[in-house]
Each structure stands twice: as structure tokens, then as C-alpha cells.
Amino acid sequence: MASYASPAPDRSAQRKFFVTTPIPEPAMTMLRRSGHVDLPSGALSDTDLECACASGRYDVIVAQLNDRFDRDVLDAARIRGISNFAVGYNNIDVEHATANGVMVANTPEVLTDATADIAMLLILATARRAVEADTFMRSGQFDGWKPNLLLGHDITDRTLGLVGFGRIARATARRAVAFGMNVIFCARPSTERPTDTRDLADLAGSVRSVGWDELVTTSDFLSVHVPLNEQTHHLVNAAVLNAMKPSSILINTARGPIVDETALVSALESKAIAAAGLDVYEDEPRMATGLAQLPNTVLLPHIGSATVSVRAEMARLCALNAIAIAAGTIPPHAVNPQAWDL
Ligand code: GLV
């Protein structure tokens, strides 16, 4: 078990943070100025995290999206809150956090554009076979321009179907419209509740709300932008993949388990769909058997928000949230403000 690198002096009056993985500056300095910071001395196991939560030594856990806070951890936890270094918080059972008075906070908005850029990158890279072409070039196979070399597909005038219509989906829509794509969306696939046209804001006239079946069967690119929860787990399953056009391409920059990855490998192998561009995986960091061998995939290692400035801004928000929680105030980006009956 990893031990916690804790100095000897009595700092009981100080706010105490347990940071599961160091996050970019200015966050670590902000946290250290505000209180005492402990880091794990080695790789952090699930048991180590559970012990840190239950120890009573920490006000706030500054967590990563691969740190799991399930019901057992939260029932035993003696912490004020969790500041998650991510916009998504499917690693935390928020219902049980709330029931146990554990405040949860996240880092929304600052990563919207960067993640939409990655969705657009995957759309372009899959359509134009960028990874295949790069491999071809590096392996010395290029022996001159040819009329039929590595032909891909246009994105202009093609239909982009957005699964979800939150901030990142809208930012992707803006980019796609600029590329001349037709954009349709289904805001809440599970309920099919239509979107009020007033809710389209600057995208009114550029995008169209459709039902789930129409989205799946008519999109040339189906791009996933919903949070992972019980309703969206395996939303894109074998039936959905088989209902897509054989020429269509699946893009996922949201969360891996929204797509049944084994069914996706089968769909790509059988050419039920043409290609897939993924930044997230069902069982990260692992990939489903066969996925890495498929040439019609572009596979990124969960880098949607990975720019220097975005990660620094996420870190700043994460520290602000943690400091507020430790001080007993509602953090700027509270997921469950109702956790505290102030
Ligand atoms: C990254 O995936 C995030 O949720 O911030």
C-alpha cells in the first residue's frame, strides 16, 4: 500500500488536501498556500484511496477521472468533498456522495473548445485516412502521386449527427458548420425530448433537432457528446451500429462505455460502418481486442482537453473548488450543492 508523504508537525488547524496525482500549476501552489497537501508516495491503489478517504486526515480529495468513488468508499469517507480534475464525474457515485454530505465539484467550460477540436480532428482524420497515410509515408511506401492513392471521403455537405447537445456538442456543431457540414442532433437520446428552438441560440437555422432513429440512420458521422450514466451506458450498441449507414463513421470524445466497444470492433470488421475515431475507451487504458489492428480507426489516448493552457485552467478551477470546499463554502463548480445543508 502507498503511504502518504506527511510531515510531522501538528497542522490540525490547517486545511488538508489529498491530491491523488499532481495537477499542473498554478494549482499545487494555490493548494499549498491554502493548507497542507499530501501526495501518494507511489502508485495509488483503490484500497489506498479508500483508506485516504476514511482516514479523517483530509478535508478534500483532489481526484482524477480514473479514481473511483463508489458507494462503499463514500459510505466510509470522512471528507468534506472531492474536487475532480475533469468535467465528467462518472467516476463518482454522486447520489451516495450527496447522501454522505460529500460535496463534488468539477471543471466545466474551460475544455469545451479543445474537446470540440479533437472531435473535429477525428472527423477529418477518419474521413481523410490521415493515420493510414502517415503510416504509409513513414514506412517508405510513397513512390509518387497516384490518382487513386488513399482516397478518402469529403466532409463538406455530409451530415454530422450529434448525440447530445451540450456545450461540447454545440462547439463541435459550430466547427462543422464552418466546414460546410449539415448538422443534426438528438439532445437527449433516452427521452427524445425535443429541443426548444429558443435553446439553439447562435446555432438557430444552422442545426436541426431530430429523433434518435433518424440521427442514427441518416448521419454520415455520428459523434457522441453525452455524459456517461445508467441511461447512456452502451447507448451505441450492436443494434445502433448495424442501423448506421455502411459508409458512416463513429466519433467518440465523451466516455468509452457509452459505446459497446466489442460490438464496435465487430461492426468495423464486418464493414457495418466504415470507420471510427475514438479518444475514449470502454475500459481505459485497455482497448477491446482487435481494435488496434483495424486500419479504419483513428485512436487517441483521451487527450480531448490536453492543451497546456486548458489543463492549467482546469487545474486552477480544481484548486479553487478544493479550497472552497475545505473552507466549508459551496465551490464555484459544485455538482451537488445540495450535499450540504447550509
Ligand atoms: C475529460 O475527459 C473530462 O471529463 O474532463
Side-chain angles (χ1 to χ4, degrees), residues 73-296:
V73 173
L74 291 161
D75 283 349
R78 290 162 61 209
I79 53 176
R80 288 185 154 190
I82 303 163
S83 179
N84 218 32
F85 182 69
V87 63
Y89 44 84
N90 54 286
N91 55 316
I92 304 168
D93 182 334
V94 175
E95 192 184 322
H96 282 96
T98 307
N100 286 292
V102 173
M103 181 72 67
V104 177
N106 68 343
T107 63
E109 288 168 22
V110 293
L111 45 67
T112 300
D113 284 322
T115 309
D117 286 345
I118 287 289
M120 204 62 219
L121 178 150
L122 287 171
I123 291 169
L124 285 162
T126 47
R128 298 302 300 275
R129 303 172 62 184
V131 171
E132 279 179 87
D134 181 273
T135 306
F136 182 86
M137 192 70 203
R138 288 174 199 275
S139 60
Q141 294 179 68
F142 183 46
D143 58 4
W145 191 91
K146 288 196 183 65
N148 286 327
L149 181 63
L150 284 161
L151 300 188
H153 294 283
D154 299 304
I155 68 164
T156 310
D157 288 333
R158 298 300 192 273
T159 298
L160 170 64
L162 299 167
V163 182
F165 202 54
R167 283 184 290 255
I168 296 172
R170 287 167 194 248
T172 306
R174 280 182 204 105
R175 285 158 176 72
V177 167
F179 274 88
M181 300 186 83
N182 308 313
V183 180
I184 58 177
F185 67 93
C186 178
R188 294 174 203 81
S190 46
T191 64
E192 302 247 353
R193 203 155 10 116
T195 301
D196 192 316
T197 29
R198 281 170 303 186
D199 209 28
L200 296 179
D202 60 307
L203 285 165
S206 308
V207 299
R208 191 165 59 86
S209 172
V210 298
W212 177 235
D213 288 347
E214 184 177 343
L215 192 88
V216 167
T217 55
T218 65
S219 294
D220 296 304
F221 296 84
L222 190 69
S223 187
V224 179
H225 300 281
V226 282
L228 172 63
N229 53 41
E230 273 173 24
Q231 287 76 43
T232 61
H233 182 264
H234 281 192
L235 176 69
V236 180
N237 56 17
V240 168
L241 291 162
N242 286 315
M244 289 168 68
K245 298 198 278 194
S247 57
S248 66
I249 295 178
L250 180 76
I251 305 293
N252 190 4
T253 54
R255 283 291 183 267
I258 298 166
V259 176
D260 179 340
E261 205 168 288
T262 304
L264 174 63
V265 172
S266 303
L268 289 165
E269 282 171 348
S270 68
K271 307 260 187 291
I273 66 169
L278 307 177
D279 186 41
V280 289
Y281 303 86
E282 189 162 355
D283 186 22
E284 290 181 16
R286 285 169 284 278
M287 282 185 280
T289 309
L291 190 60
Q293 283 68 47
L294 290 166
N296 50 346

